[in-house]
Amino acid sequence: KHCLFPSSSHLHIFTRMGANVSTACCNKGDTASIPSETVRAAGADAENPAADPDAKASEDGEVDEVGEVGEVAATHRLKVMKSLGHLEVDEEILRGVSLRKTLRGFGRVWQFSPSDLPLKEREALWKKSASVKSLAFFISHTWRTAGRWKVLALLLRTSWAFVILCWACCMSMVVCLYALEVLPRPLTAPDVGILGLTLTYHSGPWLLVAHVPSILLGFALAPYFPSLKNDQSFLDVTCIHQEDQALMERGVYGLGGFLARSKKLLILWSQPPLMRGME
């Protein structure tokens, strides 16, 4: 008679019956040698395919191939991290974009995260940048902040002089039109006596009316006005390829190099990055 042993999942029980088997479970007269048996719990092969010696070679090949690819990628990243210094520059991918150009079209580049853009637009972002030897700004920001606030901050930071110049030109033009009596002056001030002369002052509202439009015009034209200084900047969405995985990886590992070649670190401060540690 055979003995019944309790078995559990993934447990192989090999029983050999012989002359010296204990009588606790077998008859004393059963001295004949019995071939070994393998007992498996139901569903063990499905849960652990590696335990099945008859697994298909194709499946093993797929698992090995995937495993090898993952190991190669991890090894490559480790080599890159060990070989490159924190601030070492990768000259082949050192790229920059004009800060003024990023503000054109109401700053569309800043309005949308690259993950929200279609494939063609993500590929076009790389073409907005060009190879450079040095950078004026390394721009640090977060896509969690609304783009309109970043555009406004950058316009004030980079274009304030042009906006004042535009405002002054508009005001001067209004004064000239007053002098030429092109603009009507419907308002009349009370008569004023100066050195025995009585003068009547006529004026118009055009100087007050032109204030705000002239400032807005300055902000609108500033991105298209040629910059007198180098404004080549690092902007992640244009200077790191968003589709090519190899170039993207090199760009990410080369962030220290971009920073090393930048004259200034420009941080667009906003609440979301500072609140991350508290979430």
Side-chain angles (χ1 to χ4, degrees), residues 103 106-113 141-154 268:
L103 301 175
F106 300 100
R108 177 173 173 77
V109 174
W110 297 93
Q111 301 295 340
F112 304 98
S113 171
H141 72 109
T142 173
W143 291 108
R144 298 174 62 187
T145 301
R148 60 182 179 274
W149 300 119
K150 291 183 281 188
V151 172
L152 179 59
L154 289 172
L268 299 181

Side-chain angles (χ1 to χ4, degrees), residues 64-82:
D64 293 340
E65 183 178 355
V66 173
E68 291 176 0
V69 171
E71 292 177 0
V72 170
T75 303
H76 173 68
R77 294 189 183 94
L78 184 60
K79 288 181 179 179
V80 170
M81 294 178 66
K82 289 183 177 180

